[in-house]
Amino acid sequence: MNVQIMPAIRCPGNAVEGARALAGVFRDATVVEEHPGAAVVAVHGTRLCLVDGDDVETPNPSISALLKFDPTALGGEAEAIAYLDELYDRLSVGGVLMPLQEYPFSRRYAWVRDEVGFTWQLMLTDPAAEPRPFLTPSFMFGGVADGNAEPATNAWLDLFHGSGRGDLVRYGAGAPVAEGSVMFTDFRLNEQWFAAMDAGTFHDFTFGPGVSMMVLCRDEAEVERLRAGLSADPAAGRDGSCVDRWGVNWQVGLDDLAERLAR
């Protein structure tokens, strides 16, 4: 199976202008596709799709972008910290969810919201850890989806070929969340890296259409197989859109973004 998976972010205003602005934030980013109503930007090699939206179906932190600042890949720790701090200033114009400081899991970390409402996690990583992409789409299972990070990712791993799990860290006894729930896990779907965690506390938000996962396939048979496997109700959805049993929105179609948007 050869598919491409990327977050599709609904943003108020013009998506093409938003993608151009986002590309200007990073040291390595390029707008690779532009179409009426949508654009794709590659950030350090990982693609994000921006789609014209409104003030109703807006992003929330359930799906974010995890940015890993690896000193071995960025010219040393001082340069990694400088780049992290630079992006913290540029990406936090919409607010700060977790301030830039030291946490038990990272000596320098922040979670911020950009001008269109999409959120970014910025983390200085241990240079001794296994290498990962700079940008990893991350799922947070909160609200009614809390506690489902493991069963959901297991189901996705079974559905997509070229899959496998990397790290899996659980909460232990005495934590302020349910023992055994997922503190962090990362995994590959069709050789693309993603991350997930349980929120641990109840939030007033969960997955929604503000950020969906776009799956672009090479043939119609693969479209139908993945759509059926991802949809909680295979008879529902239009134009390839579906919602899985955990509330994650997916858009599954052929690998021709311009044609799909024109429908």
Side-chain angles (χ1 to χ4, degrees):
M1 177 175 60
N2 186 12
V3 303
Q4 182 180 173
I5 311 169
M6 58 182 162
I9 305 159
R10 299 186 69 87
C11 56
N14 188 292
V16 172
E17 292 179 359
R20 292 174 182 173
L22 184 61
V25 167
F26 295 88
R27 296 181 183 178
D28 179 6
T30 307
V31 177
V32 295
E33 288 189 57
E34 291 185 359
H35 308 287
V40 176
V41 56
V43 177
H44 287 260
T46 300
R47 296 190 174 199
L48 306 172
C49 181
L50 276 67
V51 182
D52 285 355
D54 51 37
D55 294 328
V56 178
E57 295 180 341
T58 57
N60 69 50
S62 294
I63 299 179
S64 62
L66 173 60
L67 305 180
K68 292 193 170 185
F69 295 81
D70 180 355
T72 61
L74 294 170
E77 183 172 286
E79 187 62 25
I81 291 174
Y83 191 26
L84 189 158
D85 291 355
E86 173 187 324
L87 289 181
Y88 177 81
D89 290 337
R90 294 182 175 183
L91 291 170
S92 61
V93 294
V96 175
L97 283 71
M98 295 177 67
L100 181 60
Q101 62 184 45
E102 181 174 350
Y103 292 89
F105 51 84
S106 175
R107 289 191 298 108
R108 200 161 186 80
Y109 172 89
W111 197 334
V112 300
R113 178 181 288 110
D114 66 19
E115 61 184 352
V116 304
F118 188 61
T119 65
W120 305 78
Q121 300 179 64
L122 293 75
M123 183 169 68
L124 181 68
T125 61
D126 183 351
E130 292 187 14
R132 293 289 189 267
F134 177 77
L135 190 161
T136 305
S138 179
F139 300 85
M140 184 175 75
F141 288 76
V144 296
D146 185 31
N148 284 292
E150 188 170 9
T153 54
N154 281 340
W156 299 340
L157 288 168
D158 287 341
L159 182 63
F160 287 87
H161 302 160
S163 300
R165 193 179 295 279
D167 297 323
L168 176 58
V169 182
R170 302 180 188 277
Y171 286 102
V177 300
E179 182 179 356
S181 58
V182 175
M183 180 186 299
F184 176 82
T185 186
D186 59 1
F187 54 97
R188 301 187 320 276
L189 301 179
N190 198 53
E191 304 302 336
Q192 296 176 238
W193 282 99
F194 299 86
M197 58 182 161
D198 288 314
T201 57
F202 186 82
H203 295 277
D204 60 356
F205 59 83
T206 186
F207 301 111
V211 183
S212 58
M213 297 305 298
M214 182 173 290
V215 183
L216 302 178
C217 306
R218 295 296 185 185
D219 60 72
E220 193 63 43
E222 199 62 50
V223 170
E224 296 303 321
R225 189 186 75 83
L226 290 176
R227 190 181 299 165
L230 289 167
S231 180
D233 179 5
R238 63 182 188 279
D239 297 332
S241 64
C242 60
V243 180
D244 68 19
R245 73 191 78 170
W246 301 281
V248 179
N249 287 247
W250 299 82
Q251 300 181 51
V252 187
L254 294 175
D255 191 4
D256 190 333
L257 183 60
E259 180 179 335
R260 294 182 62 205
L261 291 169
R263 292 177 182 175

